[in-house]
Amino acid sequence: MPKITAYSGHQNVAMLGIGAYRPRRLVSNDEVCEVLDSTDEWIFERSGIRNRRWISGDESARSMAAAAAERAIRNAGVAKEKIGALILATNSWRTKIPHGGPIVAYDIGLNGIPAFDVAAGCGGFGYGLGIAADTIRAGSAEYVLVVGVETMSVVMDPTDRDTAFIFGDGAGAVVVGPSRENGISPTVWGSDGENAEAIGQNWDIPDYMDRAQEYQHMAPETDPVGRMVVTMQGPRVFRWAAITLPKALSTVLETSGVGIDDIEVFVPHQANARINELMKKNLGLADHVPVANDIENTGNTSAASIPLAMEEMLATGKAKGGQTALLLGFGAGLSYAGAVVTLPPEPVETSLKQPTGPAG
């Protein structure tokens, strides 16, 4: 039998740099409530959200992903030509065909590298990070760029009390590569298809296309086509999270070989500030351990949530590069992914210095 070549890569990997992009338009709870039957107090009390950012002007998922990716590469100090693959975590890219990864690679001057999308809901960044680390360990690439990007404002109903106040837009990216000490634990991930419809969309694509085709025979004022938007059964998601996430967090710690007292920073998905504080308490993390709270002014940005939250903590001094952090993403799928990581260095170029206001 012929001998088939097998690669062997770097066992120790880490996040070497982080970058992000936040849309210029800052949207307050009061602005959301101009069309939503709610109040600033009700929204903040239940979610911890005061503001979120939505794309405007010429901003798009494509432009944000490219900007975050470029910043991550510059902050990592890695030569761009060394990036061997790009993983794009997203649920709101404008097209299914073509997928976004190759387009983002082209936009940042890396046309030709393997580039693909991961659609794993709010756990998408965690999935992408795990795939990137294992790709480097297998020797399939030396450096991998992981980008999480969402334009959730485009795919939601602004009058839906279950979703309209929650979601925001943005992009975050990390460069993953070889390191002296291992900085990314094995990924603990999973999914629950039985409860998949707890977070979904109001139409499947073929049915929506059929309805649009029939629209010419309808009366628009009485039977409009409507938009294809995200839907969520909040209580059902909460019950799933209450059962699944504590087990996932315990397994992450067990798999990583790191004790709870070694965790210096907690970066959960920014779905709900109240849930995140409850998770910290149930984990038994010390009071001084900071918990990401990017949700207050960024909202829930799905697959972009964790890298945006990490960038905010590093840029503001709430966390420091080199600290040991516990990450956990969870949401649509229903899916989750967690890991213990070493935080990348504090970014020199940050999204927090971007101007706020209408985009050009």
Side-chain angles (χ1 to χ4, degrees):
M1 270 181 83
K3 271 194 169 183
I4 298 175
T5 299
Y7 284 155
S8 178
H10 303 270
Q11 287 304 300
N12 293 339
V13 297
M15 293 183 287
L16 307 179
I18 190 167
Y21 184 93
R22 298 168 193 270
R24 296 188 185 113
R25 182 184 172 197
L26 190 70
V27 181
S28 68
N29 287 343
D30 287 336
E31 183 176 346
V32 169
C33 292
E34 289 175 8
V35 293
L36 182 69
D37 181 19
S38 189
T39 65
D40 170 55
E41 295 79 8
W42 187 92
I43 292 172
F44 182 71
E45 180 182 334
R46 284 159 180 77
S47 68
I49 299 172
R50 293 192 186 278
N51 303 287
R52 73 285 293 143
R53 290 175 183 264
W54 291 349
I55 57 169
S56 59
D58 59 358
E59 292 173 323
S60 65
R62 179 174 179 172
S63 68
M64 292 193 298
E70 292 274 17
R71 283 177 173 160
I73 293 169
R74 288 194 290 269
N75 285 329
V78 173
K80 187 181 288 186
E81 59 270 19
K82 289 187 175 182
I83 304 294
L86 185 150
I87 301 170
L88 184 70
T90 186
N91 312 289
S92 54
W93 195 260
R94 294 183 68 90
T95 56
K96 293 293 183 185
I97 306 171
H99 55 291
I103 296 170
V104 176
Y106 167 76
D107 286 348
I108 63 174
L110 290 175
N111 196 42
I113 67 171
F116 59 93
D117 294 9
V118 171
C122 303
F125 177 79
Y127 272 60
L129 186 65
I131 295 167
D134 289 347
T135 297
I136 297 165
R137 291 184 178 118
S140 298
E142 188 172 16
Y143 296 90
V144 178
L145 185 61
V146 183
V147 185
V149 63
E150 299 289 7
T151 50
M152 298 302 293
S153 64
V154 176
V155 296
M156 69 180 187
D157 176 357
T159 64
D160 182 355
R161 280 175 59 90
D162 290 326
T163 60
F165 67 90
I166 296 173
F167 292 113
D169 304 337
V174 295
V175 174
V176 181
S179 61
R180 190 170 298 173
E181 300 291 334
N182 189 44
I184 302 175
S185 76
T187 302
V188 172
W189 48 2
S191 67
D192 180 6
E194 182 179 1
N195 286 296
E197 293 181 359
I199 303 175
Q201 57 192 47
N202 58 338
W203 293 95
D204 68 38
I205 294 172
D207 284 351
Y208 188 75
M209 292 168 66
D210 290 343
R211 182 169 173 79
Q213 204 167 23
E214 295 166 3
Y215 180 66
Q216 57 186 319
H217 306 297
M218 300 175 182
E221 63 279 0
T222 59
D223 198 11
V225 172
R227 296 177 61 203
M228 185 186 297
V229 295
V230 66
T231 61
M232 183 167 67
Q233 301 170 30
R236 187 174 175 185
V237 175
F238 185 86
R239 288 193 298 270
W240 172 82
I243 295 169
T244 306
L245 300 187
K247 295 177 183 176
L249 287 166
S250 297
T251 306
V252 171
L253 291 171
E254 181 182 341
T255 302
S256 71
V258 170
I260 190 65
D261 294 336
D262 297 315
I263 299 298
E264 299 173 287
V265 182
F266 183 32
V267 190
H269 165 50
Q270 301 295 285
N272 186 298
R274 312 305 173 216
I275 292 175
N276 291 346
E277 284 296 337
L278 184 61
M279 282 196 291
K280 176 186 176 180
K281 181 179 178 182
N282 290 342
L283 269 170
L285 288 169
D287 290 341
H288 68 270
V289 174
V291 179
N293 191 39
D294 195 41
I295 190 173
E296 183 171 348
N297 291 301
T298 304
N300 177 347
T301 55
S302 189
S305 165
I306 287 179
L308 280 168
M310 281 196 296
E311 194 245 11
E312 190 272 341
M313 295 188 84
L314 290 165
T316 58
K318 296 170 188 171
K320 295 181 179 180
Q323 286 187 307
T324 301
L326 174 60
L327 313 183
L328 181 68
F330 53 91
L334 296 174
S335 302
Y336 64 89
V340 172
V341 303
T342 301
L343 290 177
E346 294 91 336
V348 174
E349 186 179 332
T350 83
S351 66
L352 300 182
K353 294 178 182 177
Q354 290 173 197
T356 299

